[in-house]
Amino acid sequence: MSRLDSVIDRLMAQRACLDAAAAAVSSVPGPVLELGLGNGRTYDHLRARLPGRRIFVFERQVNAHPDCIPPDEDLFLGDFMDHLPEAMLRIGEPAALVHADIGTGDKQASMALAATIGSAVVDLMASGGLLLADQPFGDRRLAPAALPDGVKPGRYHMFRKTDA
Ligand code: SAM
């Protein structure tokens, strides 16, 4: 697989997972959390797929396309761990969907970041809500959820929060 093939494969898998997750949380009340705004591609996609849902964004430094910058009141600017532990005070209700697209080119560092933020992320989720992520997360309250057809295992990760 060429590097171009790999990028296309990754983005198609990401879009398929976002679409599947958005449909799967249609009956779960609550906002959406986007961890990692980047250039705003997935934020924009979630806005389109989940109109009417408030989307809170966590990002260290905003470098997004001008059309994809969240309003100040929905942005947690800074390191994830500067805000996640206290975020419920502002968010006000458990999240139906968390999308964590947090990876850099450094696989070990990205997995370590997921391990660091995992518990605080799950604390913010509604029971029955989904965590969709580019990294594996491990938490006793998370059960693996099926990926959409055509998405290779390990390409993306989807979990449902249980009552455990
Ligand atoms: N979902 C985005 C998109 O579609 O354009 C791409 C997100 S990019 C892969 C990851 C983002 O996570 C980067 O913008 C980076 O600044 C942010 N990030 C990584 N580690 C972070 C941390 N510890 N705290 C806050 N933001 C972080």
Side-chain angles (χ1 to χ4, degrees):
M1 184 183 269
S2 73
R3 295 196 62 175
L4 177 62
D5 290 332
S6 178
V7 169
I8 291 169
D9 189 65
R10 181 173 61 77
L11 292 177
M12 286 181 66
Q14 187 179 51
R15 184 181 59 185
C17 289
L18 287 167
D19 289 349
V25 299
S26 61
S27 61
V28 182
V32 174
L33 311 184
E34 169 84 332
L35 274 65
L37 179 65
N39 72 22
R41 277 191 301 243
T42 54
Y43 170 69
D44 191 40
H45 196 73
L46 285 167
R47 265 193 319 200
R49 288 292 180 272
L50 291 166
R53 294 268 189 165
R54 195 164 176 190
I55 305 178
F56 291 94
V57 175
F58 296 75
E59 172 58 58
R60 169 167 33 221
Q61 189 175 9
V62 172
N63 280 315
H65 185 282
D67 291 345
C68 302
I69 296 175
D72 285 351
E73 61 272 23
D74 295 348
L75 176 64
F76 289 88
L77 185 63
D79 189 88
F80 294 142
M81 286 310 286
D82 288 346
H83 295 292
L84 285 169
E86 302 297 329
M88 188 57 83
L89 294 172
R90 239 169 92 186
I91 294 170
E93 59 179 322
L97 173 62
V98 179
H99 176 229
D101 187 16
I102 60 176
T104 62
D106 183 337
K107 190 171 179 192
Q108 291 307 318
S110 301
M111 289 178 66
L113 178 59
T116 299
I117 67 175
S119 178
V121 169
V122 181
D123 285 348
L124 296 173
M125 293 174 63
S127 181
L130 287 179
L131 167 61
L132 181 62
D134 68 336
Q135 307 298 322
F137 278 72
D139 187 285
R140 63 179 171 75
R141 296 164 291 175
L142 294 177
L147 294 168
D149 288 346
V151 177
K152 296 185 197 102
R155 192 43 119 169
Y156 231 65
H157 306 271
M158 187 139 63
F159 307 92
R160 191 174 293 282
K161 184 174 177 182
T162 68
D163 292 323

